[in-house]
Amino acid sequence: MWHDYDDFFYSNLYSIADKYGFITVVDGIAIGHISWDPRNKPDYVIIGHNCILSSYKGKGYGKIQLQEAIGIIKEYKVKKIIVTTNEITLSAQKKYESVGFVKISERINKETLFVGKYIDYEMILKR
């Protein structure tokens, strides 16, 4: 799952990085990044990475970063946005739900990279 997205993103870095992701900077310091997979447009876009440095967590930057990405993704006229987190990352779950994502499923994690079940969210966009 994650490997496919990462392989795609990094294999096409120079042609897609500026279109399908960005780095969040505060006072000249890169504190986070978010990127998404455009290969299934216009049906859906998958947010692949949404990260904030630990020392900046809990200050609202992650939510602002996510809202900015949603605004950009909406410009593509896609039907929905999908994002996945794991069950132990409660702050991510709350953040996704606070901006309008709805939990659609839980599934068993067959990878060892993350702990706990995967939780899938989606946001249906108005066309």
Side-chain angles (χ1 to χ4, degrees):
M1 182 177 122
W2 296 101
H3 305 291
D4 179 50
Y5 169 74
D6 285 345
D7 289 345
F8 166 74
F9 196 85
Y10 293 112
S11 294
N12 299 284
L13 192 59
Y14 295 107
S15 62
I16 68 169
D18 289 340
K19 297 178 195 171
Y20 305 115
F22 59 86
I23 295 170
T24 299
V25 177
V26 173
D27 296 328
I29 299 168
I31 66 155
H33 85 281
I34 190 166
S35 58
W36 50 91
D37 187 337
R39 291 178 288 178
N40 296 295
K41 295 186 313 181
D43 293 328
Y44 61 92
V45 167
I46 299 171
I47 294 177
H49 293 289
N50 183 22
C51 309
I52 295 290
L53 286 174
S54 295
S55 58
Y56 287 85
K57 288 184 178 182
K59 299 177 182 179
Y61 294 118
K63 185 173 182 177
I64 293 167
Q65 176 176 269
L66 181 60
Q67 290 171 319
E68 181 68 21
I70 291 167
I72 294 168
I73 293 168
K74 283 181 176 180
E75 293 175 11
Y76 305 143
K77 308 290 187 220
V78 296
K79 296 175 186 171
K80 66 182 171 181
I81 305 171
I82 298 170
V83 68
T84 299
T85 190
N86 62 345
E87 69 181 339
I88 66 164
T89 314
L90 297 176
S91 61
Q93 294 171 45
K94 289 178 183 178
K95 180 174 36 191
Y96 293 132
E97 292 170 7
S98 75
V99 299
F101 282 92
V102 175
K103 180 176 162 181
I104 58 167
S105 66
E106 291 185 13
R107 47 192 170 92
I108 301 214
N109 175 359
K110 296 180 182 176
E111 299 181 36
T112 58
L113 187 58
F114 299 101
V115 176
K117 293 179 189 173
Y118 284 126
I119 300 176
D120 299 313
Y121 288 91
E122 70 179 16
M123 176 185 285
I124 305 297
L125 301 176
K126 296 179 181 175
R127 298 194 98 203

